[in-house]
Amino acid sequence: MIRFLGARVLGAALVLWVVASLTFLAVMASGDPITAALQSTGASPEMIDQVRTELGYDRPLAVQYVDFLAHAVRGDFGESFRYGKDAMGLVAGRLPNTIALALAALAVTVALGVPLALAASWRPNSPVDRLVSLVCAGGQAIPNFVLGPVLLLVFAVAIPLFPVSGTTAPFAIVLPALTLAAYPVARLVRVLRAGILEARSADYVRTARSKGLRPSRIVSRHVLANAMLPSVTVLGLQVAGTLGGAVVVETVFSWPGVGSLARDALMSSDVNLALAVVVAFAAAVLVVNLVTDAVYALVDPRIRLT
Amino acid sequence: MSGPSDLTAPARGARSRRGRLAGRARRAGRLGVPARVWVCVAVIAAAIVVSLVLPPFLADFAEQDILDSLKPPVPWDGSDPAHPLGTDTLGRDILARLAVGLRVSLAVAAFGTLIALVVGIVLGVLAGYRGGWTDNILMRVADVQLSVPALVLVMFAVTLIGRDTPTIIVVLGLVTWVAFARVARAQVLSLREQDLVVASRSLGLPEWRILTRHVLPSIMGPLSVLASVEVGALVVAEAALGYLGLGVPPPHPSLGAMISEGQQVLTAGIWWPVVMPGAVIAALVLAANVLGDWLRDRFDPLSERSFR
């Protein structure tokens, strides 16, 4: 287990290094970020040269790259051009909001997904099942930048239950979390429903019934426990997509998280901030993938991590 | 039996595979294609026709008329028959903007998927067939790419390279190739040791011939399923870029940009600038997904949906 984790952490660090290097080189290859950022402000060529020298952009690329890496491993991605603050510090400041949103979306996914899957698999092809599958088809087809505004229209404008934007009101997180959860819920229901139907006709469930176990216990310990496995995989694979979705959802609801920061950084060509955000996103995905593997081993005692 | 105990027995509605297939054949028409699939094909065809044929007959998509701003769509009070789907904040015709915006959406979805398909097949088949270091390198590249959310990667690339349609097509295509490469690789891995390939190899056929004439046709089924779903995903990705302000620059309409412009007047209860493009995107994606599900059932009856 420890050896496995060590190897995985090493692999993740390697991927992170490649991501950081590639994004850095891509930025450098696309042209000089300082000139691009300052030209629109009407600065003279001399002033631009002076700023470039001050910030070290006149050095050879290899020197800049080594310098970038040496600082990046300590979490230092330089100052954001736009905010004039430490780039990674800005990301860290926004992180709690994004984590709160992601956890709320995960809670919504499980709280809606499991009951819906149970209801759908109760009697396959029943009206309930068809309704659930219709809802899921909708959840997969309606993009979050459409669902978000429609939820706002209904639950913030027509029926003013929730605020239109921001984080301050008590239930402000409800609509963004629902929007972000729509797609994962649909995925979870489909996978879980198929898993439950398969587990119901498995031999171990028949054995459990003939032993006279309470039905509730059969459902929770035998049917759901086995159907849960592929669902954990699916939810884990969903993480990168959900973080991408957070960019859109945070923009829709003016939610001050890392996603909307990413969009602002890219819109204003804030190179250092953009680099910090991309590396932070990659790190988040890699960490969650590791956690998913560990959860997998916990949920299924048959899996040994070696 | 009552309560949750129902869930502890095999599902009553779950029929045998043969029964399922028979039922499916009965429901489907003579060609074996159910009605819902025809509806999906019709939706996609309608989108193509509207975007290519309609614009010359409609109002100018860029023409502004403040006096005509925010007219509701036709059956509602105060609507104008000249603007059947209403007008936006600047008084521009929403139907015309939808039709022209759809061109970009469909071009991005079609050509982006094509690029992803070609790149993914070539690299995936090579990795699966050759194995060894080719395979290793490819899978590591995929790991790196999948560690960054696709949308963030696309936003990053588009800001660095440019926001014109060809760039968006290439970037989205190159971000999507991993999915195709993985499926192609997995298919080839299982195919490599099967008799048809082993026999071709022992007959002394050249490698490229084995790959193009024997391997490729056998893996197109699962790849076509993925292609269908990816077309929908790319429509969404292009619109998401537009929504975030990183799509095709204005004044050219983009479905996503229309939604973000419309959201500014949403708090006043003005719904059509958001709902109209939103409904078009949702309909397209739904059609692509249902088509993909149907193809999946055709090619792989034991998959996720097979209990249906």
Side-chain angles (χ1 to χ4, degrees):
Chain A
M1 176 86 180
I2 287 173
R3 258 183 78 186
F4 168 83
L5 277 182
R8 284 296 307 268
V9 169
L10 201 69
L14 218 60
V15 170
L16 206 55
W17 168 64
V18 176
V19 168
S21 305
L22 287 182
T23 43
F24 176 78
L25 293 176
V27 166
M28 288 301 163
S30 75
D32 174 13
I34 301 293
T35 314
L38 288 186
Q39 239 162 12
S40 52
T41 62
S44 66
E46 293 78 31
M47 282 171 69
I48 293 180
D49 273 350
Q50 191 194 338
V51 175
R52 288 189 58 198
T53 317
E54 267 172 28
L55 295 176
Y57 281 96
D58 57 340
R59 295 170 297 166
L61 184 61
V63 176
Q64 288 192 48
Y65 172 65
V66 171
D67 190 47
F68 164 77
L69 273 190
H71 284 94
V73 288
R74 283 174 275 163
D76 178 8
F77 284 78
E79 279 191 357
S80 149
F81 300 152
R82 185 157 171 242
Y83 298 94
K85 288 185 197 154
D86 171 43
M88 204 38 113
L90 283 169
V91 173
R94 296 275 195 110
L95 201 57
N97 282 332
T98 298
I99 292 178
L101 183 59
L103 288 181
L106 183 66
V108 170
T109 306
V110 175
L112 281 181
V114 174
L116 278 178
L118 282 173
S121 54
W122 198 289
R123 292 212 178 83
N125 290 318
S126 65
V128 178
D129 185 23
R130 280 166 193 280
L131 185 69
V132 170
S133 96
L134 194 71
V135 170
C136 288
Q140 282 190 306
I142 302 175
N144 40 23
F145 51 88
V146 176
L147 183 61
V150 169
L151 286 179
L152 277 179
L153 184 67
V154 178
F155 295 108
V157 178
I159 317 163
L161 285 174
F162 302 103
V164 175
S165 68
T167 53
T168 41
F171 295 109
I173 203 169
V174 174
L175 291 185
L178 272 178
T179 311
L180 193 55
Y183 189 82
V185 166
R187 292 283 302 156
L188 177 64
V189 169
R190 284 179 62 161
V191 177
L192 198 54
R193 173 184 176 279
I196 292 174
L197 286 180
E198 203 171 293
R200 280 170 67 176
S201 43
D203 288 341
Y204 49 77
V205 170
R206 194 167 354 124
T207 309
R209 268 161 65 88
S210 55
K211 278 197 304 196
L213 274 189
R214 266 177 297 122
S216 60
R217 197 172 162 79
I218 301 180
V219 170
S220 63
R221 288 300 299 264
H222 296 270
V223 175
L224 266 185
N226 279 289
M228 220 44 143
L229 280 173
S231 314
V232 173
T233 316
V234 166
L235 285 183
L237 284 176
Q238 217 58 66
V239 169
T242 306
L243 281 179
V247 177
V248 174
V249 172
E250 287 177 4
T251 306
V252 172
F253 293 94
S254 313
W255 186 264
V258 184
S260 48
L261 188 68
R263 185 229 178 203
D264 294 347
L266 289 171
M267 287 289 282
S268 54
S269 309
D270 193 340
V271 175
N272 288 350
L273 189 54
L275 280 174
V277 169
V278 170
V279 172
F281 269 126
V285 171
L286 292 168
V287 167
V288 174
N289 284 350
L290 269 176
V291 173
T292 314
D293 282 350
V295 169
Y296 214 85
L298 287 179
V299 174
D300 189 350
R302 287 170 300 189
I303 293 176
R304 296 259 179 278
L305 299 177
T306 45
Chain B
M1 222 178 289
S2 66
S5 57
D6 257 354
L7 280 166
T8 64
R12 214 175 299 156
R15 289 161 292 161
S16 68
R17 187 170 164 222
R18 184 188 288 174
R20 260 193 338 265
L21 292 178
R24 193 183 298 151
R26 226 181 300 119
R27 276 195 310 279
R30 190 178 290 173
L31 288 172
V33 181
R36 70 194 145 88
V37 173
W38 286 120
V39 172
C40 295
V41 173
V43 166
I44 295 171
I48 297 173
V49 169
V50 163
S51 73
L52 292 183
V53 179
L54 224 48
F57 303 103
L58 300 170
D60 180 4
F61 69 84
E63 191 185 289
Q64 305 181 4
D65 185 355
I66 300 299
L67 292 177
D68 253 358
S69 76
L70 296 176
K71 290 259 186 238
V74 148
W76 275 268
D77 269 357
S79 63
D80 178 353
H83 304 296
L85 296 185
T87 59
D88 67 4
T89 334
L90 298 173
R92 295 174 295 190
D93 184 53
I94 288 184
L95 178 59
R97 293 180 69 71
L98 275 182
V100 178
L102 259 179
R103 283 186 186 176
V104 179
S105 295
L106 295 173
V108 167
F111 293 114
T113 307
L114 199 64
I115 291 177
L117 192 68
V118 171
V119 175
I121 287 180
V122 170
L123 294 181
V125 168
L126 272 184
Y129 196 75
R130 288 264 174 82
W133 60 268
T134 322
D135 189 27
N136 241 320
I137 290 180
L138 183 91
M139 286 299 106
R140 292 295 83 74
V141 172
D143 280 352
V144 169
Q145 189 176 323
L146 290 176
S147 74
V148 181
L151 185 61
V152 175
L153 200 59
V154 172
M155 289 165 65
F156 190 74
V158 167
T159 22
L160 290 185
I161 306 170
R163 287 165 54 182
D164 49 309
T165 314
T167 309
I168 293 178
I169 289 176
V170 173
V171 167
L172 283 175
L174 292 185
V175 166
T176 320
W177 72 273
V178 178
F180 289 96
R182 292 202 147 182
V183 172
R185 174 179 173 273
Q187 294 288 321
V188 171
L189 276 182
S190 70
L191 204 64
R192 195 169 56 176
E193 307 306 328
Q194 279 177 24
D195 289 346
L196 93 134
V197 173
V198 176
S200 315
R201 213 182 293 145
S202 56
L203 279 172
L205 284 184
E207 198 173 70
W208 61 267
R209 206 182 150 83
I210 301 177
L211 287 179
T212 51
R213 298 295 291 271
H214 300 281
V215 171
L216 210 51
S218 323
I219 65 173
M220 282 318 282
L223 286 170
S224 67
V225 175
L226 190 59
S228 174
V229 176
E230 287 302 333
V231 165
L234 287 194
V235 168
V236 172
E238 189 272 333
L241 278 183
Y243 181 86
L244 294 169
L246 293 165
V248 214
H252 198 284
S254 141
L255 299 185
M258 290 173 73
I259 293 174
S260 89
E261 286 160 22
Q263 204 187 330
Q264 291 163 2
V265 288
L266 197 68
T267 40
I270 295 164
W271 51 271
W272 56 93
V274 166
V275 171
M276 291 301 173
V280 170
I281 299 172
L284 269 182
V285 179
L286 191 63
N289 286 353
V290 172
L291 215 54
D293 280 347
W294 174 69
L295 287 171
R296 190 192 317 257
D297 280 355
R298 292 279 306 236
F299 289 117
D300 180 12
L302 295 176
S303 68
E304 197 182 304
R305 291 276 286 207
S306 63
F307 282 98
R308 226 154 261 291

